[in-house]
Short mmCIF file of all heavy atoms in Angstrom, two decimals:
data_model
loop_
_atom_site.label_atom_id
_atom_site.label_comp_id
_atom_site.label_asym_id
_atom_site.label_seq_id
_atom_site.Cartn_x
_atom_site.Cartn_y
_atom_site.Cartn_z
N LEU A 348 -19.26 12.33 -10.80
CA LEU A 348 -19.65 10.93 -10.96
C LEU A 348 -20.77 10.56 -9.98
O LEU A 348 -21.69 9.83 -10.32
CB LEU A 348 -18.44 10.00 -10.74
CG LEU A 348 -17.45 9.91 -11.91
CD1 LEU A 348 -16.21 9.15 -11.50
CD2 LEU A 348 -18.10 9.23 -13.13
N TYR A 349 -20.67 11.10 -8.76
CA TYR A 349 -21.76 10.86 -7.78
C TYR A 349 -23.05 11.51 -8.26
O TYR A 349 -24.13 10.88 -8.26
CB TYR A 349 -21.38 11.39 -6.41
CG TYR A 349 -22.56 11.38 -5.46
CD1 TYR A 349 -22.96 10.22 -4.82
CD2 TYR A 349 -23.28 12.54 -5.23
CE1 TYR A 349 -24.06 10.20 -3.98
CE2 TYR A 349 -24.41 12.55 -4.40
CZ TYR A 349 -24.78 11.37 -3.78
OH TYR A 349 -25.89 11.34 -2.96
N LEU A 350 -22.97 12.78 -8.69
CA LEU A 350 -24.18 13.49 -9.09
C LEU A 350 -24.79 12.87 -10.35
O LEU A 350 -26.00 12.99 -10.59
CB LEU A 350 -23.88 14.99 -9.32
CG LEU A 350 -23.52 15.77 -8.04
CD1 LEU A 350 -23.04 17.18 -8.36
CD2 LEU A 350 -24.66 15.79 -7.04
N ASP A 351 -23.99 12.18 -11.14
CA ASP A 351 -24.48 11.44 -12.32
C ASP A 351 -25.02 10.07 -11.96
O ASP A 351 -25.47 9.32 -12.84
CB ASP A 351 -23.32 11.18 -13.30
CG ASP A 351 -22.99 12.39 -14.12
OD1 ASP A 351 -23.72 13.41 -14.04
OD2 ASP A 351 -21.98 12.36 -14.88
N GLY A 352 -24.92 9.67 -10.69
CA GLY A 352 -25.42 8.37 -10.26
C GLY A 352 -24.50 7.20 -10.56
O GLY A 352 -24.91 6.06 -10.52
N ARG A 353 -23.23 7.51 -10.84
CA ARG A 353 -22.32 6.42 -11.18
C ARG A 353 -21.35 6.06 -10.05
O ARG A 353 -20.59 5.10 -10.17
CB ARG A 353 -21.55 6.78 -12.44
CG ARG A 353 -22.48 6.75 -13.64
CD ARG A 353 -21.71 6.73 -14.93
NE ARG A 353 -21.22 8.05 -15.26
CZ ARG A 353 -20.29 8.29 -16.17
NH1 ARG A 353 -19.75 7.28 -16.85
NH2 ARG A 353 -19.91 9.51 -16.43
N LEU A 354 -21.35 6.80 -8.96
CA LEU A 354 -20.51 6.53 -7.81
C LEU A 354 -21.41 6.37 -6.59
O LEU A 354 -22.25 7.22 -6.33
CB LEU A 354 -19.54 7.70 -7.60
CG LEU A 354 -18.34 7.53 -6.72
CD1 LEU A 354 -17.38 6.50 -7.32
CD2 LEU A 354 -17.62 8.87 -6.56
N GLN A 355 -21.28 5.26 -5.84
CA GLN A 355 -22.13 5.03 -4.71
C GLN A 355 -21.51 5.65 -3.47
O GLN A 355 -20.44 5.19 -3.01
CB GLN A 355 -22.27 3.51 -4.47
CG GLN A 355 -23.15 2.81 -5.47
CD GLN A 355 -23.12 1.30 -5.25
OE1 GLN A 355 -22.60 0.56 -6.08
NE2 GLN A 355 -23.66 0.82 -4.13
N LEU A 356 -22.11 6.69 -2.95
CA LEU A 356 -21.62 7.28 -1.72
C LEU A 356 -22.66 7.19 -0.58
O LEU A 356 -22.26 7.05 0.57
CB LEU A 356 -21.21 8.76 -1.94
CG LEU A 356 -20.15 8.99 -3.00
CD1 LEU A 356 -19.78 10.48 -3.06
CD2 LEU A 356 -18.90 8.17 -2.74
N ASP A 357 -23.94 7.24 -0.91
CA ASP A 357 -24.96 7.18 0.14
C ASP A 357 -24.79 5.90 0.95
O ASP A 357 -24.90 5.92 2.18
CB ASP A 357 -26.36 7.17 -0.48
CG ASP A 357 -26.62 8.37 -1.38
OD1 ASP A 357 -25.82 9.33 -1.36
OD2 ASP A 357 -27.60 8.31 -2.13
N GLU A 358 -24.50 4.81 0.26
CA GLU A 358 -24.39 3.49 0.92
C GLU A 358 -23.16 3.40 1.82
O GLU A 358 -23.05 2.50 2.64
CB GLU A 358 -24.34 2.39 -0.13
CG GLU A 358 -25.56 2.31 -1.03
CD GLU A 358 -25.54 3.25 -2.24
OE1 GLU A 358 -24.69 4.18 -2.26
OE2 GLU A 358 -26.35 3.07 -3.15
N LEU A 359 -22.18 4.32 1.61
CA LEU A 359 -20.96 4.30 2.44
C LEU A 359 -21.25 4.85 3.85
O LEU A 359 -20.51 4.52 4.78
CB LEU A 359 -19.87 5.18 1.83
CG LEU A 359 -18.97 4.62 0.77
CD1 LEU A 359 -18.06 5.72 0.24
CD2 LEU A 359 -18.13 3.47 1.29
N ILE A 360 -22.25 5.70 3.95
CA ILE A 360 -22.48 6.41 5.21
C ILE A 360 -23.38 5.57 6.11
O ILE A 360 -24.59 5.60 6.00
CB ILE A 360 -23.06 7.81 4.93
CG1 ILE A 360 -22.11 8.61 4.02
CG2 ILE A 360 -23.34 8.55 6.24
CD1 ILE A 360 -22.73 9.82 3.40
N SER A 361 -22.74 4.78 6.95
CA SER A 361 -23.49 3.86 7.82
C SER A 361 -24.11 4.62 8.97
O SER A 361 -25.16 4.21 9.49
CB SER A 361 -22.59 2.80 8.39
OG SER A 361 -21.88 2.14 7.36
N ARG A 362 -23.44 5.67 9.46
CA ARG A 362 -23.87 6.28 10.70
C ARG A 362 -23.40 7.74 10.70
O ARG A 362 -22.32 8.02 10.20
CB ARG A 362 -23.20 5.54 11.86
CG ARG A 362 -24.07 5.39 13.09
CD ARG A 362 -23.43 4.46 14.08
NE ARG A 362 -23.62 3.05 13.75
CZ ARG A 362 -23.12 2.06 14.51
NH1 ARG A 362 -22.43 2.31 15.56
NH2 ARG A 362 -23.34 0.81 14.14
N THR A 363 -24.16 8.62 11.32
CA THR A 363 -23.71 9.99 11.49
C THR A 363 -23.69 10.33 12.98
O THR A 363 -24.42 9.72 13.79
CB THR A 363 -24.62 11.01 10.74
OG1 THR A 363 -25.94 10.88 11.23
CG2 THR A 363 -24.60 10.78 9.24
N TYR A 364 -22.82 11.28 13.31
CA TYR A 364 -22.63 11.67 14.71
C TYR A 364 -22.60 13.19 14.83
O TYR A 364 -22.30 13.87 13.85
CB TYR A 364 -21.25 11.18 15.23
CG TYR A 364 -21.02 9.69 15.04
CD1 TYR A 364 -20.30 9.23 13.92
CD2 TYR A 364 -21.49 8.76 15.94
CE1 TYR A 364 -20.09 7.87 13.74
CE2 TYR A 364 -21.28 7.40 15.76
CZ TYR A 364 -20.58 6.97 14.66
OH TYR A 364 -20.36 5.62 14.48
N ARG A 365 -22.83 13.69 16.04
CA ARG A 365 -22.50 15.08 16.35
C ARG A 365 -21.01 15.12 16.79
O ARG A 365 -20.47 14.10 17.18
CB ARG A 365 -23.34 15.61 17.51
CG ARG A 365 -24.85 15.68 17.19
CD ARG A 365 -25.56 16.46 18.32
NE ARG A 365 -25.12 16.04 19.65
CZ ARG A 365 -25.72 15.08 20.36
NH1 ARG A 365 -26.77 14.45 19.90
NH2 ARG A 365 -25.25 14.74 21.56
N LEU A 366 -20.39 16.31 16.74
CA LEU A 366 -18.99 16.41 17.10
C LEU A 366 -18.72 15.86 18.50
O LEU A 366 -17.71 15.18 18.74
CB LEU A 366 -18.49 17.85 16.98
CG LEU A 366 -17.00 18.07 17.26
CD1 LEU A 366 -16.13 17.29 16.27
CD2 LEU A 366 -16.65 19.56 17.21
N ASP A 367 -19.65 16.08 19.43
CA ASP A 367 -19.40 15.64 20.80
C ASP A 367 -19.62 14.12 20.97
O ASP A 367 -19.38 13.57 22.05
CB ASP A 367 -20.21 16.43 21.84
CG ASP A 367 -21.70 16.37 21.61
OD1 ASP A 367 -22.14 15.53 20.78
OD2 ASP A 367 -22.45 17.13 22.25
N GLU A 368 -20.01 13.45 19.89
CA GLU A 368 -20.11 11.98 19.92
C GLU A 368 -18.95 11.31 19.19
O GLU A 368 -19.00 10.10 18.89
CB GLU A 368 -21.43 11.54 19.22
CG GLU A 368 -22.68 12.04 19.88
CD GLU A 368 -23.92 11.79 19.04
OE1 GLU A 368 -23.87 11.91 17.77
OE2 GLU A 368 -24.97 11.48 19.64
N ILE A 369 -17.88 12.06 18.91
CA ILE A 369 -16.86 11.56 18.01
C ILE A 369 -16.14 10.33 18.55
O ILE A 369 -15.73 9.45 17.79
CB ILE A 369 -15.88 12.70 17.64
CG1 ILE A 369 -15.01 12.23 16.47
CG2 ILE A 369 -15.06 13.16 18.81
CD1 ILE A 369 -14.37 13.34 15.71
N ASN A 370 -15.97 10.24 19.87
CA ASN A 370 -15.30 9.06 20.40
C ASN A 370 -16.11 7.79 20.14
O ASN A 370 -15.53 6.72 19.92
CB ASN A 370 -14.98 9.26 21.90
CG ASN A 370 -13.89 10.28 22.12
OD1 ASN A 370 -12.77 10.10 21.63
ND2 ASN A 370 -14.23 11.38 22.77
N GLU A 371 -17.42 7.89 20.14
CA GLU A 371 -18.29 6.75 19.79
C GLU A 371 -18.06 6.37 18.32
O GLU A 371 -18.06 5.20 17.93
CB GLU A 371 -19.75 7.08 20.05
CG GLU A 371 -20.75 6.07 19.56
CD GLU A 371 -20.46 4.63 19.94
OE1 GLU A 371 -19.80 4.38 20.98
OE2 GLU A 371 -20.87 3.73 19.18
N GLY A 372 -17.81 7.40 17.48
CA GLY A 372 -17.51 7.12 16.07
C GLY A 372 -16.26 6.27 15.90
O GLY A 372 -16.24 5.34 15.12
N PHE A 373 -15.23 6.55 16.71
CA PHE A 373 -14.00 5.74 16.60
C PHE A 373 -14.22 4.36 17.23
O PHE A 373 -13.62 3.39 16.76
CB PHE A 373 -12.83 6.48 17.25
CG PHE A 373 -12.27 7.52 16.34
CD1 PHE A 373 -12.56 8.86 16.49
CD2 PHE A 373 -11.45 7.15 15.27
CE1 PHE A 373 -12.08 9.82 15.60
CE2 PHE A 373 -10.96 8.11 14.39
CZ PHE A 373 -11.28 9.43 14.55
N ALA A 374 -15.07 4.27 18.25
CA ALA A 374 -15.35 2.95 18.84
C ALA A 374 -16.03 2.07 17.79
O ALA A 374 -15.69 0.89 17.63
CB ALA A 374 -16.21 3.12 20.09
N ALA A 375 -16.96 2.63 17.04
CA ALA A 375 -17.67 1.86 15.99
C ALA A 375 -16.72 1.47 14.87
O ALA A 375 -16.78 0.36 14.33
CB ALA A 375 -18.84 2.66 15.45
N LEU A 376 -15.77 2.37 14.53
CA LEU A 376 -14.75 2.05 13.50
C LEU A 376 -13.92 0.85 13.96
O LEU A 376 -13.67 -0.08 13.19
CB LEU A 376 -13.84 3.29 13.33
CG LEU A 376 -12.66 3.15 12.37
CD1 LEU A 376 -13.10 3.43 10.94
CD2 LEU A 376 -11.53 4.09 12.74
N ARG A 377 -13.51 0.85 15.23
CA ARG A 377 -12.67 -0.23 15.73
C ARG A 377 -13.43 -1.54 15.78
O ARG A 377 -12.88 -2.60 15.57
CB ARG A 377 -12.15 0.10 17.14
CG ARG A 377 -11.20 1.28 17.14
CD ARG A 377 -10.34 1.32 18.38
NE ARG A 377 -11.03 1.15 19.64
CZ ARG A 377 -11.73 2.11 20.26
NH1 ARG A 377 -11.84 3.29 19.72
NH2 ARG A 377 -12.30 1.87 21.41
#
Side-chain angles (χ1 to χ4, degrees):
L348 282 171
Y349 169 79
L350 292 173
D351 281 353
R353 289 196 283 166
L354 196 65
Q355 287 174 247
L356 301 184
D357 303 347
E358 299 84 345
L359 275 176
I360 301 165
S361 307
R362 216 170 281 179
T363 59
Y364 307 96
R365 296 190 315 268
L366 183 61
D367 59 11
E368 299 171 321
I369 192 160
N370 289 300
E371 172 50 27
F373 281 101
L376 176 86
R377 294 200 312 281

